[in-house]
Amino acid sequence: MLPDFPNINCVWAGLLVEELVRNGVTEFVLSPGSRCTPLTVAVARNSSAESTVHFDERGAAFYALGIAKGSNKPVALICTSGTAAANYFPAIIEASQSRVPLIVLTADRPPELIDTGANQTIDQDRLYGKFVRWNCNVPCPDTKIAATYVLTTVDQAVYRATRAPFGPVHLNCAFREPLEPTSKGENFGPYLEPLQGWHDSARPYTAYSRPRAYDIDLNLDELRASIDRCDRGYIVAGMLSDIETCHVQLLAKQLQWPVLADIASGMRLDDLGCATIHYVDHLLATNWFRSLPAPQAILQFGAPLTSKRLIQYLASIDCSLRITVVNSPDRLDPSHTGGIRIDGPPGEVAFGLYRKDGKLNERSRWAQDLVDASAAVGLRTKAIVDAQPVANEPAIAARITGNASSRFALFLANSMPVRDADMFGTVTTKDLRTFVNRGASGIDGNIATAAGIARGLGGPVVAVVGDLALLHDLNSLALVAKSPFPVVIVAINNDGGGIFHFLPIASHDDVFEKYFGTPHGFRFEHAAKQFGIAYERATTMAQFNDAFSAVIAQNVSGFIEVQTDRTQNVELHRRILADLDQFNGSH
Ligand SMILES: Cc1ncc(C[n+]2csc(CCOP(=O)(O)OP(=O)(O)O)c2C)c(N)n1
Ligand SMILES: [Mg+2]
């Protein structure tokens, strides 16, 4: 028997939520509001729906993004009409550009109230423009419209969100009053009769057959043969999911080509038997590197890349074979390098290029020299960084990656935290999972994303964030406070935007500090305490190490504020680069 719904709004909302659940969308992030009441009640009353409630839609949407990244599953968002819906936009842009599936359900007023000056009413039609994979204005629930319409709408929404390129979809759902689950004694039995088979089956109403994961006019065996003809080639690992990383690793191990691994690839911090060039950004800065013969092939899996030096270097190479594999039809070629662009899942393509006999190639002298030089560069920079007694950003990046326990995943906020981890991250065997928001590289929603990742993974996360990113998303500490899994915030407080010191504008003293450095003088102790999060402050590396080790060992949420200095930071980076100028390939 189908449930006895009190009114037509509840019928549609109940079907919608149940169909989402049947499609594997079990996580719902809701924000309070009146117009979305039917959806909220439907989630609350569906025993298979897991829900998180967060008052701020901007944080809620980034939290949903984090859950989707951590769980590799689509996540649903529910909010009321008006600016509530507009607050989802930054996270929708990030989800669109980092190809993460979100099902965005915004409640809307009925058509007779649009454009009339009615309260909390805006034009929500196509609110998110081209940043959603599909957009549907779901009309007010009405028994004149078949109930199966609701099911096929949800099925289409989930399908469009989870077929490549993955991304957000928007269902703008209009509701007329009554919004609460009251009944006037209507009998929906005859209306719902056509759904009896669906109800009994426990399956989604529409079974979409997915296109073959990728369909290309290339013979991968032939491509592999051209790869094998190259003596010198790079594997470049950009942003990859866990499973994709495994397959790329397999190929990298077999080819024994140097792996230029981005921090978002899952291959940067670990060795895994590959010829990994962990410190590629710094190695590229050496004169020694410029004297090496160029590669004949570049095989890139995943995008984007974090290191500007690496992006520029790859663009400068004129090689005969350049293959880029990203699961998206989008151009994703900011340097206009062209070559062979495979629109398919990087893991599967890598596996397609892998020779199934499993035989490993011998590592070339060229590749081994690069591996050795990268390790030597790593040691060289470590020596300089370790000699600094005061807390400094490169050392924090090295310690966090070196000292985090393998239970923890890392979220690296935009601006310097992600770049420092890319440049200075310690090589470990801990298989640390790393997450970033590099779709649009915003410094917004970073705390909420980290908390969402913890929920999506079902495990603890260390989030490294700058002070401006933290100020931007301060109220998302509420999500950390009630996170079911530990979230450790490492707040690097350099009193402003440290990244801007690396730009030429930094030498324009009349404008720099006020408009770019943007000092604020704030500290975060009271903020952490307001949300009931244990707080520690560090000004030396020794203090930081103690505080970090303690919170990691306790496996609880916590907040460590480290004070650093923007000017000293850029000087330290310059000293490291000057030292790398002396590098001769071994020491
Ligand atoms: C939403 C958003 N606004 C502005 C920017 C431009 N931006 C990039 S980095 C940065 C400074 C970030 O400062 P902080 O978080 O303290 O990190 P730091 O540079 O000090 O490492 C800004 C404002 C952005 N990326 N995203
Ligand atoms: Mg800062």
Side-chain angles (χ1 to χ4, degrees):
M1 265 290 288
L2 280 148
D4 195 11
F5 294 107
N7 61 43
I8 188 65
N9 284 343
C10 290
V11 172
W12 276 37
L15 295 179
L16 196 149
V17 169
E18 172 62 18
E19 190 65 348
L20 281 171
V21 165
R22 290 186 183 201
N23 273 286
V25 185
T26 52
E27 286 283 345
F28 293 78
V29 183
L30 304 93
S31 300
S34 169
R35 194 54 54 172
C36 53
T37 300
L39 294 168
T40 306
V41 171
V43 171
R45 293 184 175 174
N46 189 310
S47 57
S48 305
E50 299 285 337
S51 59
T52 305
V53 183
H54 186 56
F55 46 82
D56 176 352
E57 288 79 8
R58 186 167 66 165
F62 276 107
Y63 186 73
L65 174 86
I67 301 177
K69 285 189 180 203
S71 64
N72 280 316
K73 281 169 61 180
V75 175
L77 276 161
I78 294 177
C79 75
T80 189
S81 62
T83 55
N87 273 285
Y88 281 165
F89 209 174
I92 287 176
I93 292 173
E94 177 59 32
S96 179
Q97 302 206 166
S98 53
R99 301 179 291 281
V100 175
L102 292 179
I103 316 294
V104 181
L105 306 167
T106 55
D108 200 357
R109 311 259 148 169
E112 63 272 19
L113 292 181
I114 307 290
D115 268 346
T116 63
N119 181 42
Q120 211 179 306
T121 306
I122 64 170
D123 183 356
Q124 294 181 195
D125 177 32
R126 293 172 202 277
L127 184 61
Y128 309 116
K130 59 184 181 185
F131 294 96
V132 286
R133 304 288 184 261
W134 190 58
N135 177 92
C136 178
N137 284 314
V138 181
C140 290
D142 190 331
T143 52
K144 292 195 196 70
I145 303 172
T148 47
Y149 162 78
V150 180
L151 305 182
T152 61
T153 302
V154 171
D155 297 336
Q156 169 71 179
V158 178
Y159 178 61
R160 294 286 278 267
T162 55
R163 90 195 280 271
F166 287 28
V169 294
H170 180 201
L171 299 183
N172 187 45
C173 306
F175 290 105
R176 269 192 201 101
E177 293 176 6
L179 302 169
E180 70 287 355
T182 46
S183 169
K184 284 193 181 151
E186 286 154 287
N187 172 16
F188 295 104
Y191 176 66
L192 293 173
E193 216 171 271
L195 301 194
Q196 198 57 54
W198 166 80
H199 177 257
D200 297 341
S201 79
R203 284 194 300 273
Y205 185 67
T206 319
Y208 276 94
S209 94
R210 296 186 175 261
R212 273 178 42 206
Y214 64 102
D215 191 8
I216 49 171
D217 54 358
L218 284 173
N219 179 328
L220 290 185
D221 289 334
E222 279 171 21
L223 208 54
R224 172 65 198 244
S226 5
I227 288 171
D228 285 336
R229 282 193 290 276
C230 297
D231 297 326
R232 291 186 309 279
Y234 288 135
I235 292 193
V236 180
M239 192 166 67
L240 294 169
S241 71
D242 276 5
I243 186 82
E244 289 168 345
T245 301
C246 289
H247 285 139
V248 174
Q249 261 165 31
L250 208 60
L251 178 68
K253 213 165 149 179
Q254 185 170 65
L255 288 175
Q256 287 296 316
W257 281 8
V259 179
L260 315 184
D262 187 272
I263 190 71
S265 69
M267 297 176 76
R268 159 67 182 81
L269 300 174
D270 217 324
D271 244 326
L272 311 154
C274 303
T276 312
I277 314 302
H278 298 281
Y279 298 98
V280 64
D281 184 85
H282 281 147
L283 192 61
L284 288 173
T286 63
N287 282 322
W288 175 83
F289 185 84
R290 277 170 227 129
S291 66
L292 285 189
Q296 300 141 328
I298 299 172
L299 250 169
Q300 180 174 338
F301 295 95
L305 300 172
T306 306
S307 160
K308 192 169 172 186
R309 241 192 297 269
L310 177 57
I311 294 168
Q312 287 172 344
Y313 167 65
L314 293 174
S316 73
I317 299 170
D318 183 15
C319 60
S320 52
L321 184 63
R322 187 189 292 266
I323 304 171
T324 310
V325 191
V326 188
N327 203 7
S328 165
D330 295 341
R331 180 162 17 166
L332 301 171
D333 182 12
S335 312
H336 310 291
T337 47
I340 297 172
R341 171 68 169 77
I342 300 180
D343 171 9
E348 289 182 38
V349 176
F351 195 62
L353 291 170
Y354 174 75
R355 276 204 203 284
K356 307 297 178 283
D357 64 15
K359 248 179 63 199
L360 303 190
N361 288 359
E362 210 171 297
R363 189 177 293 182
S364 69
R365 184 71 251 160
W366 176 76
Q368 188 58 43
D369 282 352
L370 279 164
V371 170
D372 294 343
S374 163
V377 159
L379 285 175
R380 219 174 152 112
T381 53
K382 185 176 181 318
I384 299 173
V385 167
D386 283 350
Q388 315 297 311
V390 292
N392 67 88
E393 298 171 26
I396 293 164
R399 297 295 158 79
I400 286 174
T401 44
N403 296 2
S405 103
S406 53
R407 289 190 314 275
F408 279 76
L410 297 181
F411 176 77
L412 304 159
N414 282 315
S415 203
M416 290 312 288
V418 61
R419 291 182 169 85
D420 283 337
D422 198 45
M423 284 187 270
F424 298 97
T426 304
V427 182
T428 77
T429 51
K430 285 186 274 189
D431 199 15
L432 287 178
R433 298 183 62 180
T434 48
F435 292 88
V436 295
N437 272 357
R438 296 301 285 175
S441 299
I443 57 160
D444 44 354
N446 283 214
I447 302 290
T449 308
I453 289 167
R455 172 148 191 125
L457 286 173
V461 167
V462 173
V464 192
V465 282
D467 48 303
L468 294 187
L470 180 58
L471 284 169
H472 224 290
D473 200 22
L474 209 54
N475 72 12
S476 290
L477 289 177
L479 288 164
V480 174
K482 62 177 183 191
S483 171
F485 304 97
V487 179
V488 175
I489 306 288
V490 176
I492 300 178
N493 190 352
N494 55 16
D495 196 20
I499 197 168
F500 297 124
H501 287 262
F502 294 84
L503 302 179
I505 192 69
S507 61
H508 297 262
D509 292 342
D510 59 326
V511 291
F512 182 73
E513 199 54 11
K514 177 173 174 187
Y515 295 98
F516 298 89
T518 51
H520 46 74
F522 300 131
R523 288 194 187 165
F524 295 98
E525 180 171 3
H526 297 298
K529 291 195 171 156
Q530 175 182 349
F531 292 97
I533 304 168
Y535 170 90
E536 290 285 340
R537 180 174 147 78
T539 54
T540 65
M541 283 316 296
Q543 285 168 350
F544 174 74
N545 292 341
D546 288 349
F548 188 66
S549 302
V551 73
I552 293 292
Q554 288 160 25
N555 201 23
V556 292
S557 289
F559 190 117
I560 305 172
E561 175 172 1
V562 204
Q563 188 185 311
T564 61
D565 183 290
R566 287 183 272 126
T567 314
Q568 284 174 15
N569 184 50
V570 74
E571 278 166 10
L572 179 58
H573 277 259
R574 291 215 174 103
R575 220 170 329 137
I576 288 166
L577 289 182
D579 175 73
L580 289 176
D581 254 358
Q582 316 301 315
F583 180 69
N584 65 10
S586 53
H587 41 255

